Amino acid sequence: MKTLSYTLAAFALAAGAQTVQASTLDTVKKRGEVLCGTTTGFAGFSAPNAKGEWEGLDVDLCKSIAAAVLGDANKFKAVPLNSQQRFTALQSGEIDVLTRNTTVTQQRDTALGILGAGINFYDGQGFLVPKKLGVNSAKELDGATVCMQTGTSNENTMADWARANNIKYTPVVFDQFNEVVNAFAAGRCDVFTTDASGLASIRISRLGNPDDYQVLPEIISKEPLGPFVRQGDDQWLNIVKWTLQAQINAEELGLTSANVDEQLESTNPNVQRLLGTTPGSGKNLGLDEKWAYNIIKQVGNYGESFERNVGQDSPLKIDRGLNAQWNQGGLLYGLPVR
């Protein structure tokens, strides 16, 4: 009886898990749009443009999920969240996916009921200073006041780095990202520390005279940024994970929003599987076989998204660096679609 009880209990748990697995996809399909957690405004990654339309690298990932699941990249809603709100919103079901420059860490993957679904930007924490401060290295910041946002990994990273390098500093922390930016711009602190991508964004989009500021050369952490989903919903995890992988693979295979239609005639088996001319990948995800075609046609491959939002076609002009393809000296390595 004991063995039977354990068997029944295991069956019940498995049945419960199956119910959970389908819930997010079913909810999204019934609602007709994907709810994505974004920043409250972070140029290049997630911010409203002059028309009030949300755009950015993370928004493109959200649009890609909508294209994959609903066939229409415009069927999404951006839900602005600050650092303190983002995990609670995901845990509670207020959003379907967190696409908000969030670092994947062990603690977040194991203790919050959420899971990272991939890396869409390899970053690292850095320092932004006014040139008039007269420093060219972070190791010259002893005694500085440092602005940062509470509730982020930046606080602990800064403390660890300062301790290791015998640097004393005074933290000036704020709950809201905009408060940190405003305080730094007003001269209430000597230094702004956050992810280097954020510093590039702030310097170009939020400071009156960008040439009066510089990002110091030191990068003091690894900040792999990517989307998060709730634990216990494996199908939705797979959908978000492979949406990102479709964008990465598309770039490696030379598929773009401009040529994807003609590539439907490709004889390359990798292209055929990705675009659904050889069926299977859509069925594996519980989606239409044109799921990846819709992503590429409507949003573009990873490189297209990178360049227009944060790269050389954008005001930020961030080099690809670690975010280049693996065969171009970067870390992007598309997982096989087969």
Side-chain angles (χ1 to χ4, degrees):
M1 289 295 294
K2 190 171 184 180
T3 302
L4 179 59
S5 297
Y6 284 143
T7 302
L8 290 173
F11 179 78
L13 284 171
Q18 299 252 344
T19 301
V20 172
Q21 285 172 3
S23 62
T24 306
L25 179 59
D26 289 345
T27 299
V28 168
K29 285 183 173 180
K30 184 176 181 180
R31 186 195 303 126
E33 66 179 357
V34 181
L35 304 182
C36 298
T38 67
T39 66
T40 53
F42 186 0
F45 290 84
S46 54
N49 60 23
K51 298 179 182 178
E53 301 163 338
W54 282 82
E55 61 184 16
L57 187 72
D58 290 333
V59 175
D60 274 0
L61 180 55
C62 176
K63 289 180 176 180
S64 295
I65 297 167
V69 174
L70 301 171
D72 187 342
N74 293 315
K75 291 186 175 180
F76 79 97
K77 180 180 179 181
V79 181
L81 301 166
N82 63 31
S83 294
Q84 292 74 40
Q85 297 168 329
R86 56 184 167 173
F87 298 130
T88 303
L90 181 59
Q91 293 159 345
S92 67
E94 179 185 343
I95 57 175
D96 304 311
V97 56
L98 183 64
T99 51
R100 185 201 178 282
N101 67 311
T102 299
T103 302
V104 179
T105 69
Q106 187 201 47
Q107 192 266 348
R108 289 171 178 174
D109 257 1
T110 58
L112 301 182
I114 62 177
L115 285 172
I119 310 301
N120 75 325
F121 194 90
Y122 289 92
D123 209 346
Q125 188 171 334
F127 303 93
L128 180 66
V129 299
K131 289 181 179 177
K132 67 180 181 182
L133 197 63
V135 301
N136 294 302
S137 167
K139 293 185 178 180
E140 300 173 25
L141 295 176
D142 192 46
T145 53
V146 181
C147 278
M148 66 188 86
Q149 185 179 13
T150 191
T152 69
S153 59
N154 298 144
E155 288 181 282
N156 290 336
T157 299
M158 180 67 197
D160 290 345
W161 177 85
R163 190 179 306 112
N165 288 276
N166 198 29
I167 301 288
K168 295 190 184 334
Y169 70 99
T170 301
V172 182
V173 299
F174 298 89
D175 288 336
Q176 303 294 331
F177 191 74
N178 284 340
E179 294 176 323
V180 190
V181 176
N182 293 337
F184 177 70
R188 292 179 58 185
C189 52
D190 302 312
V191 186
F192 192 155
T193 185
T194 188
D195 297 344
S197 59
L199 299 177
S201 174
I202 293 158
R203 178 177 170 273
I204 291 296
S205 66
R206 300 292 300 275
L207 300 177
N209 296 297
D211 290 341
D212 291 344
Y213 300 86
Q214 64 177 339
V215 178
L216 297 179
E218 288 86 357
I219 297 295
I220 65 171
S221 71
K222 292 186 292 185
E223 304 294 337
L225 310 179
F228 280 79
V229 296
R230 285 180 292 280
Q231 288 187 10
D233 193 337
D234 292 351
Q235 184 181 28
W236 188 247
L237 170 65
N238 279 331
I239 288 170
V240 174
K241 172 182 176 179
W242 286 98
T243 291
L244 175 57
Q245 291 302 317
Q247 290 185 293
I248 295 171
N249 274 297
E251 182 182 19
E252 182 178 339
L253 292 168
L255 305 177
T256 70
S257 55
N259 72 15
V260 68
D261 283 323
E262 65 186 64
Q263 290 296 320
L264 289 169
E265 304 299 324
S266 172
T267 58
N268 183 331
N270 293 310
V271 172
Q272 291 174 337
R273 284 191 291 266
L274 184 61
L275 296 184
T277 55
T278 297
S281 68
K283 181 180 179 182
N284 292 341
L285 295 170
L287 302 177
D288 187 275
E289 293 295 347
K290 297 190 73 173
W291 68 280
Y293 166 86
N294 289 332
I295 293 170
I296 301 162
K297 179 67 175 178
Q298 298 178 35
V299 184
N301 67 36
Y302 179 87
E304 290 180 275
S305 179
F306 185 99
E307 294 302 339
R308 70 169 166 260
N309 289 302
V310 300
Q312 299 310 304
D313 295 334
S314 78
L316 273 63
K317 300 198 179 304
I318 297 173
D319 291 332
R320 285 294 293 265
L322 296 177
N323 295 292
Q325 289 279 342
W326 65 280
N327 52 11
Q328 298 294 322
L331 296 179
L332 292 189
Y333 188 103
L335 303 179
V337 178
R338 61 171 185 260

